[in-house]
Amino acid sequence: MTVAAAQREPQGRAGGSIEAVRRSIAREFRSSGLDSPDLDARLIVGHALGLDHAALAAQGKRLLVPEERAAIAALVRRRLCREPTARIVGYKEFWGLRFKLGPETFVPRPETETVVEAALQALGERRGCSSLRIADIGTGAGTLLLALLSELRGALGVGTDISPPAVECARDNAVAQGATAGFVVCSFGTALQGPLDLLVCNPPYILRNDIAAIEPEVRMFDPHTALDGGPDGLDGYRAIAADARRLLAPDGILVVELGFGQAGSVQTLLAAAGLASAPPRHDLSGTPRALVARRLL
């Protein structure tokens, strides 16, 4: 659908109940080829009306007033222009937590939860230690760090990001979730000191020449620095490998997210930096998604 078409008043929603309008929007999203049309319609209608899921269902038969219809229509137009629903409503759920987003933060994907799962499994019995030291490189909205701190009570956490607005967003999320964490503006781990028990990172890993072909929700709205992994997609992993041995304790663990087909190349980079990798952990779609490595003594 063209931008001009999306900016016209969507058809079939001149009136009606909340539920009827929500269903109409879902059909419109589906016919436009958008992913998760039902979920997007529910989130957008709920956001426009200030209603959570339960209230939306309870008030489903209520008729909308003109001001409400106008508010919903404005948000629908944004989604039809391929703005992600998470950016429209201003937050994204991840690991059962709600993360506020900003223009300089990457929208967390469900497959990134594989990194959290792999890190927790790799820690094993050390999960119960109250003095774990954790760092999240390129933290964005604080997603990985705060998800881990929600499971590792008493752990000390720090997140880094090259973007000051992203760091501010991560701090806000930490406060909202009642987590104690520090955040630093720097490139990868350059401002950090070890020793760390756990280092996690979801680096930019898309090949530079491939960015133009990815879905518009990502290409047009996620920060370029969170996408561009350089000519071969591996620049971020090189930066991580350069710092990992310096930052990790002798028994420290590194967990990184992998792009498609990158497991072998990343393992080779880490091995050259003195880190031994386990077989990658797969996400729910069967894609190798998280790589766990340990510092060699």
Side-chain angles (χ1 to χ4, degrees):
M1 173 174 287
T2 66
V3 172
Q7 288 176 341
R8 293 194 296 266
E9 178 69 21
Q11 299 299 310
R13 286 187 274 109
S17 67
I18 292 175
E19 178 62 17
V21 168
R22 185 196 63 77
R23 290 181 182 275
S24 175
I25 293 168
R27 289 193 297 270
E28 192 168 9
F29 285 170
R30 191 174 294 108
S31 67
S32 297
L34 301 182
D35 293 336
S36 59
D38 294 292
L39 176 61
D40 285 358
R42 175 171 62 80
L43 290 173
I44 284 173
V45 173
H47 181 68
L49 301 179
L51 301 176
D52 62 18
H53 183 42
L56 201 63
Q59 298 186 36
K61 294 183 179 181
R62 177 172 71 78
L63 296 180
L64 293 166
V65 300
E67 293 79 9
E68 291 173 327
R69 294 199 300 271
I72 292 170
L75 300 186
V76 168
R77 285 192 290 270
R78 290 170 62 183
R79 184 67 189 104
L80 290 173
C81 289
R82 304 303 292 266
E83 184 174 355
T85 299
R87 296 208 178 275
I88 293 171
V89 302
Y91 70 88
K92 180 71 173 180
E93 300 284 343
F94 181 88
W95 201 256
L97 304 169
R98 176 173 290 194
F99 287 87
K100 182 184 83 168
L101 302 176
E104 297 296 321
T105 61
F106 186 75
V107 176
R109 274 48 171 185
E111 57 267 26
T112 300
E113 292 190 351
T114 311
V115 175
V116 181
E117 295 167 351
L120 294 174
Q121 182 180 50
L123 285 171
E125 294 182 356
R126 296 168 66 191
R127 288 180 58 176
C129 178
S130 62
S131 58
L132 287 174
R133 295 150 297 180
I134 304 170
D136 176 16
I137 291 176
T139 194
T143 312
L144 287 174
L145 179 63
L146 297 178
L148 286 165
L149 290 178
S150 75
E151 301 287 345
L152 303 170
R153 299 299 181 182
L156 304 175
V158 61
T160 76
D161 202 285
I162 199 170
S163 165
V167 165
E168 286 303 313
C169 183
R171 286 193 181 113
D172 290 345
N173 283 323
V175 171
Q177 296 173 21
T180 301
F183 296 94
V184 181
V185 177
C186 70
S187 178
F188 291 94
T190 54
L192 295 182
Q193 295 182 344
L196 297 170
D197 301 295
L198 176 62
L199 180 62
V200 296
C201 183
N202 178 11
Y205 53 65
I206 299 175
L207 277 66
R208 185 167 296 155
N209 288 340
D210 289 348
I211 292 176
I214 61 179
E215 60 268 28
E217 284 85 350
V218 176
R219 183 183 72 249
M220 295 167 57
F221 295 97
D222 275 333
H224 189 80
T225 53
L227 304 177
D228 187 355
D232 61 359
L234 300 175
D235 282 359
Y237 300 105
R238 293 188 182 94
I240 295 164
D243 277 335
R245 188 168 177 83
R246 172 180 67 84
L247 293 175
L248 287 173
D251 57 348
I253 299 165
L254 168 69
V255 187
V256 294
E257 178 163 331
L258 296 169
F260 183 77
Q262 292 178 326
S265 298
V266 175
Q267 286 176 313
T268 299
L269 283 172
L270 296 181
L275 298 164
S277 303
R281 186 183 183 99
H282 293 67
D283 62 23
L284 292 178
S285 68
T287 300
R289 185 58 65 185
L291 189 67
V292 176
R294 297 175 187 270
R295 174 179 162 178
L296 296 172
L297 300 177

